[in-house]
């Protein structure tokens, strides 16, 4: 019997966490098994992007399924705003992190049989969102892969060097919070420090990669995260990619590596997967 292709569909729902209609895309695997629950992979898009990011990344998932390096899984990507969004729960405003971490998975669980333990994968702003979600909720995730994550080499708004917050990154730095407590709640490094024991006990698999000549100087933040993970004795995989920028010809191979990483973690978590 000829193998079916992966299937991508676009849906919308009225989200209570944001008070808006949210578009999302779902990618279903080829020959989707009907007799078992499947893991959920949260695909986080970058700044100035949308759920169409999943359509662009679809070949990476298809390759992994064809190679047998990714188990059958349900992949979802929600369209979220950049300004006013940033995967942040805004005080007295939209709760974009809760949308991704809670409301959307709950919606999908009413339609699909979902296995415990999600994967999270994201690029740039999406890498920031993926890390935040997984590090804050390690019991819900098996693995997180962050490519060129939009994170800073500092843990307070005032100490982020100017050259690390060009353009939209300055907006992100400000959106993370004016006061120290709010900023800390949105800082990947601070979440990691505050949740270290849970991350270790849940054996969350962590993959971070960044080009060494990233045009937005995100390599500095990635190195800072590696140092923090090492300091806290949290196991992780870190790829510092020579001669690679933010999004260039090497991006496709790096995305393939991230998807394979998620696949290995999901396979290891459940040996019943084909």
């Amino acid at each position: 019997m000829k193998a079916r292709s992966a299937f991508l569909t676009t849906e919308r729902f009225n989200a209570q966490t944001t008070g808006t209609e949210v578009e999302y895309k779902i990618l279903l695997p080829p020959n989707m098994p009907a007799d078992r629950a499947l893991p959920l992979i949260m695909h986080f898009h970058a700044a100035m992007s949308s759920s169409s990011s999943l359509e662009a990344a679809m070949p990476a998932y298809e390759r992994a399924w064809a190679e047998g390096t990714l188990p059958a899984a349900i992949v979802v990507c929600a369209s979220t705003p950049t300004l006013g969004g940033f995967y942040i729960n805004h005080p007295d405003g939209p709760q974009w992190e809760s949308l991704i971490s809670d409301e959307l998975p709950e919606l999908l669980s009413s339609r699909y049989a979902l296995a415990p333990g999600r994967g999270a994968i994201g690029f740039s702003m999406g890498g920031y969102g993926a890390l935040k979600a997984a590090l804050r909720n390690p019991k819900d995730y098996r693995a997180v892969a962050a490519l060129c994550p939009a994170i800073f080499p500092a843990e307070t708004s005032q100490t982020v060097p100017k050259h690390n917050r060009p353009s939209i990154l300055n907006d992100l730095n400000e959106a993370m919070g004016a006061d120290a407590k709010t900023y800390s709640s949105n800082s990947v490094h601070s979440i990691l420090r505050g949740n270290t024991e849970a991350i270790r006990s849940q054996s969350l698999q962590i993959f971070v990669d960044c080009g060494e000549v990233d045009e937005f100087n995100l390599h500095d933040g990635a190195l800072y995260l590696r140092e923090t993970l090492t300091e806290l004795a949290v196991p992780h995989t870190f790829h510092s990619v020579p001669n690679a920028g933010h999004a260039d010809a090497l991006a496709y191979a790096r995305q393939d590596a991230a998807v394979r990483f998620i696949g290995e973690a999901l396979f290891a978590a459940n040996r019943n997967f084909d």
Side-chain angles (χ1 to χ4, degrees), residues 6 8 16 61 70 74 77 93 110 118 130 149 163 184 238 250 262:
L8 184 72
Q16 295 183 358
Y61 291 103
L70 180 70
I74 296 169
C77 180
S110 70
R118 305 171 198 158
H163 77 275
S184 179
F238 181 83
L250 297 174
I262 295 293

Side-chain angles (χ1 to χ4, degrees), residues 4-23:
R4 291 182 298 162
S5 299
F7 180 70
L8 184 72
T9 185
T10 302
E11 315 254 346
R12 291 175 176 81
F13 81 112
N14 293 317
Q16 295 183 358
T17 46
T18 63
T20 63
E21 182 182 71
V22 173
E23 176 189 277

